[in-house]
Amino acid sequence: MRKIRSVAAVGDVSDVNAWSGIPYHFWRAAGAAAFAAAPWRLDLARITWQRYVWNAFGILRGGRGGFQYSDWFLNMAERQIPRELLAGEIITFNQHFPRGRSVKHAGGTLNYYIDAPFIALVTGRGLDLHLPAKVATRAVAAERENYAAADRVVTMARWAAKVVVNECGVPREKVFTILPGANLDLPPGWSFPGLEGRPGVDRDFVLGFVGKDWQRKGLPLLVDVQADLTRRGWKVAVHAAGRAPGDFSARPGVRFVGFIDKRTDAPRFAEFLAGCDLGCLFSQREALGISTLEFLRVGVPVAGFDHEGPADTLPVDAGFRFGLGTSASSVAERMDAYLRDEAEQRRFREAARRWSPLVTWERCVREFQQLWEHGGVASPVQPWLGLAKG
C-alpha cells in the first residue's frame, strides 16, 4: 500500500494563517502537482490551558516559555494526527513536530523543510528565541535527534544548510537547499505595470519596505538613505506596508500605507509592491527574506544586505547586494549612481520581471519533485548566480 505524503506544521496547514502562510502555499502547490495532498490539521485551540499551567510553573522555576518544545505539548499534538498520516511520508516545516521517534514507531518517514535550524535561534545570533536555558538545551538535543531520524533535511537558504551540517551533525548527503516561493497570489489577468516618468526626477524614486519587525529589517537605515538622496537633489520616498513605529510617521518623504492582509487583499498588496522602484530588506539577521521574493514576483528589483537568507534572495542581475553593516551614505551613493543610469534601471527591471515566474511555490515544488525522484535538483533556482543564460 502506498504511503500518504503529507505536509505538517504547528497549526492547520490548510489555513493560510498558519506560520505566515508558508506551509499553506507549499501544500496547495504540492497538491496541484500531485506531489503531496494531505495537510496536517493541528488544532492549537485544544491545547490552551496546558500552556498557561506550563508558564505558571515556569515562573516558579525562574523562567517561562518553551511549552511548544515539551513532551507534554508534543504528546497532545501528535494524538490529534490520524495514524495513517504519522505512518506515511511527512514533509514538516517544524524542527520538533512531529518527533522523529514517533514517526518511526508509527512506521512513517520524515523530511524537513526549514528556514532556520532551532540551534541558530537560541545561541545568541540575533534571531533569538528567549527560552529558559534548560528548555533550550533539551530542544537542541531533540532537534539533532529528529534530523538524525529524517530521510532528508531541506533548508530554504544556504546558511541554514551549513548550520544543519556543522552544528547539528547531519550528514551532508542528507541536506539540500531549495528556494521557497513568494507568498503572493497575483490577481487574474495581472500584468507588470509601467511606471511613468523618470524616478527621482519626474516623480519619487520609491523605496519599498515590508515587515512588522521594522528595527531588525532595516527601516531606520532605509529612511536615512532616503534623506541622504534627498539632500543630493533627488525626489525619493519610502513606502512602508504597516503602521508607523515611533516618530517615523513625521519624517518627510516616509509614507506608511497601513496593514495590508495579502491573504485576503492580494490585489492591493500586489499593487503596493508594484508601485515601488526598489524592494528593500536591510536586515541585520534574517532567516530568509520572503518579502524580497514578493517584490521580484511583481517584477520589482530589490536591495539589501547579502547576509544569511537575503544572500540567497537578492539576484545579482536584479538587485543590489551590500555587505553587512554598509552605511546609509554608502548605500545612497550607489543609489545615486543608479538614478543617473537609465539603462541600468531598465536592465534591472527587465531582469526582475524574468525572475517573477521563478520565485513561485509551483517552481519550488517542481524542485522537490526532482529531489524525490532523482536524488537532486538538476538546475535549482539560485538568485545569487543570476538568471540562466540562453
Side-chain angles (χ1 to χ4, degrees):
M1 182 177 178
R2 184 178 178 182
K3 291 184 176 181
I4 299 172
R5 184 178 294 144
S6 61
V7 181
V10 174
D12 183 349
V13 170
S14 67
D15 182 354
V16 71
N17 295 299
W19 198 53
S20 300
I22 290 174
Y24 167 83
H25 285 283
F26 177 88
W27 159 70
R28 194 176 61 170
F35 176 65
W40 283 31
R41 293 186 169 97
L42 176 62
D43 184 0
L44 294 175
R46 293 168 54 186
I47 314 175
T48 301
W49 66 263
Q50 296 91 342
R51 183 183 301 276
Y52 295 137
V53 172
W54 172 273
N55 285 332
F57 277 98
I59 293 173
L60 297 176
R61 294 191 301 265
R64 59 181 296 173
F67 176 62
Q68 181 177 311
Y69 311 104
S70 69
D71 284 335
W72 191 11
F73 171 83
L74 293 167
N75 286 337
M76 289 186 292
E78 289 172 359
R79 280 198 292 269
Q80 288 191 28
I81 306 305
R83 178 77 179 185
E84 61 268 23
L85 295 186
L86 273 172
E89 185 180 16
I90 303 159
I91 300 172
T92 181
F93 283 79
N94 187 271
Q95 307 96 328
H96 294 92
F97 175 72
R99 290 167 292 190
R101 62 177 180 268
S102 299
V103 175
K104 182 178 180 180
H105 183 263
T109 57
L110 190 58
N111 303 272
Y112 288 87
Y113 192 26
I114 59 169
D115 65 339
F118 179 83
I119 193 172
L121 306 178
V122 291
T123 47
R125 306 180 204 192
L127 293 167
D128 301 320
L129 292 172
H130 300 289
L131 297 172
K134 288 185 178 179
V135 172
T137 299
R138 287 188 59 195
V140 166
E143 178 181 42
R144 291 194 177 107
E145 179 184 328
N146 288 339
Y147 293 162
D151 283 6
R152 307 171 187 84
V153 180
V154 184
T155 67
M156 298 183 184
R158 291 170 296 164
W159 78 272
K162 292 178 181 177
V163 173
V164 167
V165 172
N166 297 333
E167 300 182 39
C168 298
V170 181
R172 188 67 188 86
E173 59 270 20
K174 282 177 51 172
V175 181
F176 306 88
T177 296
I178 294 179
L179 187 77
N183 291 342
L184 177 64
D185 293 323
L186 295 180
W190 190 91
S191 60
F192 299 119
L195 298 179
E196 296 184 1
R198 182 179 171 187
V201 179
D202 303 319
R203 60 172 179 80
D204 285 339
F205 175 57
V206 179
L207 304 172
F209 177 86
V210 176
K212 293 180 181 179
D213 193 351
W214 58 271
Q215 187 79 37
R216 177 175 59 81
K217 291 180 180 291
L219 180 59
L221 181 140
L222 191 59
V223 171
D224 288 343
V225 170
Q226 182 268 340
D228 192 315
L229 288 170
T230 299
R231 286 192 295 270
R232 295 170 187 251
W234 298 105
K235 294 180 180 179
V236 184
V238 172
H239 288 184
R243 297 178 178 86
D247 63 350
F248 278 99
S249 59
R251 296 286 291 268
V254 181
R255 176 186 171 218
F256 288 85
V257 302
F259 173 69
I260 305 174
D261 192 337
K262 59 189 175 185
R263 296 162 295 195
T264 58
D265 198 357
R268 183 174 169 229
F269 186 61
E271 181 182 0
F272 164 78
L273 297 172
C276 300
D277 290 286
L278 203 62
C280 301
L281 180 62
F282 287 93
S283 294
Q284 295 290 329
R285 309 307 305 259
E286 190 73 42
L288 183 74
I290 288 285
S291 68
T292 50
L293 300 181
E294 291 169 340
F295 277 109
L296 290 170
R297 183 71 180 102
V298 298
V300 172
V302 290
F305 292 139
D306 60 350
H307 174 65
E308 292 182 338
D312 286 13
T313 66
L314 299 169
V316 293
D317 43 15
F320 295 99
R321 301 168 62 91
F322 296 96
L324 183 65
T326 300
S327 67
S329 60
S330 295
V331 173
E333 185 174 352
R334 180 65 184 90
M335 295 297 103
D336 179 85
Y338 182 67
L339 287 169
R340 296 177 188 277
D341 191 338
E342 294 183 69
E344 184 179 34
Q345 294 172 41
R346 185 167 53 254
R347 287 195 301 271
F348 266 41
R349 187 165 286 274
E350 289 173 352
R353 292 180 176 187
R354 293 198 299 275
W355 276 106
S356 176
L358 301 177
V359 294
T360 64
W361 284 106
E362 288 74 18
R363 184 273 317 153
C364 174
V365 167
R366 287 196 297 271
E367 293 191 10
F368 265 81
Q369 289 175 306
Q370 289 182 37
L371 175 59
W372 256 241
E373 293 170 8
H374 306 293
V377 182
S379 299
V381 168
Q382 299 173 313
W384 61 93
L385 296 180
L387 290 159
K389 301 298 187 291

